[in-house]
Amino acid sequence: MTRPTLPGTLQRKSQLPVWLSIGWRVTAVVGLVGLAIAVHWFDRAGLRDNYDGAVSFLDVVYFTMISITTTGYGDIAPVSERARLFDALIVTPIRVFVVLLFIGTAYDFVLKRTWDKWRMSLLQRTLKGHIVVAGYGHTGAEAVAELIARGEAPDRIVVVDPDADRIAEAKDVGCLVLEGDATRDQTLSDIHLPAARLVIVTAGRDDTSILITLSARHLAPDVPISTVVRNEDNELPARAAGATTVINPVSFAGLLLATSHRGGRVTEYLTDLASMHGQVRLRERPIAADEVGLALSSLSTGTGLRVYRDGTSFGRHQSESSTLRAGDTIVEIVAT
């Protein structure tokens, strides 16, 4: 019998590892209780046992614990001024700290985690218009950093990766994360892939990236998919798998190197265009209603480079770009 697959759950960055958070709380409680027991033992002459008149070490432990837990049966009581002063000034603050530590632990590991899990589940069910990044290696991390630099909210980016360390890094950035295998339909369904705005595939291996692309296209026929491949021979299979855009960083690096043979200014400008941190950048957008009928070269928002119309691109100096039409998409250079 096949065991049903449980859906993955989105996560966000936690403040401390569970073992460390519990460990320091237990240490603090043990230390405070030990301090109270030690002082009570050395000052046991100031205590009176109404049962048998003798105060043993077990009596001291018993008295300390019921004092800290505010039970106070009265069978053992402080009678000397020093013992009462110690209970008032030392045991009472210890009691408050221990209670707060227990309440804080219950909040962190029961209430807060239950609340966060419910909130993440609700967010997961309502995910829409988000960006999915499948693979958070060097390229994926750079893509996320660039998206955030361009104004994308980190909590609108969902990172999927099977590596726990990479997931932790994505949490630190503020992204929603899901530790899992992005080649599986269940994993992609858990992040509501059909409702995503964009899918970026950077798995690190071409075969894995192509398989993720194929799975993503199967679940989301209309969502744009940008896939990174490193072997030129895999660009066609990636497109056949459903990638809208195929990026080969090796080929792009070769182009930059080739343009630098007579100086580095062209390479510098191309890098500037591709990054959000330069003086200018490339922008793709649909034309506005008041731009219909204008020429691409006369736009006031930036320097128009290309017009995309009915699946065909037209350059700045082609006659088709002299009159923009409704539904056209343009690529332009704008100031950062």
Side-chain angles (χ1 to χ4, degrees), residues 127-189:
L127 273 177
K128 186 177 182 181
H130 52 294
I131 296 176
V132 175
V133 178
Y136 198 75
H138 180 74
T139 303
E142 288 290 336
V144 169
E146 190 66 25
L147 286 170
I148 294 174
R150 292 173 183 267
E152 194 69 39
D155 60 1
R156 301 303 301 167
I157 302 174
V158 179
V159 174
V160 182
D161 198 288
D163 187 275
D165 292 336
R166 293 178 179 178
I167 286 295
E169 292 175 9
K171 279 187 187 180
D172 291 339
V173 176
C175 299
L176 299 175
V177 299
L178 180 61
E179 184 179 344
D181 184 359
T183 63
R184 299 182 58 194
D185 287 356
Q186 181 63 55
T187 302
L188 298 179
S189 297

Side-chain angles (χ1 to χ4, degrees), residues 33-198:
V33 171
L35 174 64
I37 291 174
V39 176
H40 275 146
W41 173 248
F42 286 112
D43 193 37
R44 59 188 179 278
L47 302 177
R48 175 183 296 168
D49 188 343
N50 296 319
Y51 177 68
D52 58 9
V55 179
S56 67
F57 180 74
L58 290 179
D59 290 334
V60 168
V61 173
Y62 164 74
F63 172 70
T64 302
M65 296 307 297
I66 63 172
S67 297
I68 289 178
T69 57
T70 69
T71 305
Y73 294 114
D75 49 350
I76 301 178
V79 292
S80 68
E81 291 185 357
R82 186 171 59 182
R84 291 178 177 178
L85 187 64
F86 173 75
D87 273 16
L89 300 181
I90 305 298
V91 175
T92 297
I94 289 177
R95 179 186 303 124
V96 172
F97 279 117
V98 169
V99 170
L100 289 177
L101 284 171
F102 279 122
I103 293 176
T105 302
Y107 170 73
D108 282 342
F109 296 101
V110 180
L111 299 178
K112 185 175 183 296
R113 290 177 183 271
T114 301
W115 168 258
D116 286 345
K117 185 176 180 180
W118 176 83
R119 190 160 53 94
M120 286 294 98
S121 298
L122 179 62
L123 177 61
Q124 188 170 0
R125 290 195 299 268
T126 58
L127 273 177
K128 186 177 182 181
H130 52 294
I131 296 176
V132 175
V133 178
Y136 198 75
H138 180 74
T139 303
E142 288 290 336
V144 169
E146 190 66 25
L147 286 170
I148 294 174
R150 292 173 183 267
E152 194 69 39
D155 60 1
R156 301 303 301 167
I157 302 174
V158 179
V159 174
V160 182
D161 198 288
D163 187 275
D165 292 336
R166 293 178 179 178
I167 286 295
E169 292 175 9
K171 279 187 187 180
D172 291 339
V173 176
C175 299
L176 299 175
V177 299
L178 180 61
E179 184 179 344
D181 184 359
T183 63
R184 299 182 58 194
D185 287 356
Q186 181 63 55
T187 302
L188 298 179
S189 297
D190 289 339
I191 57 174
H192 287 207
L193 187 74
R197 174 160 41 104
L198 171 66

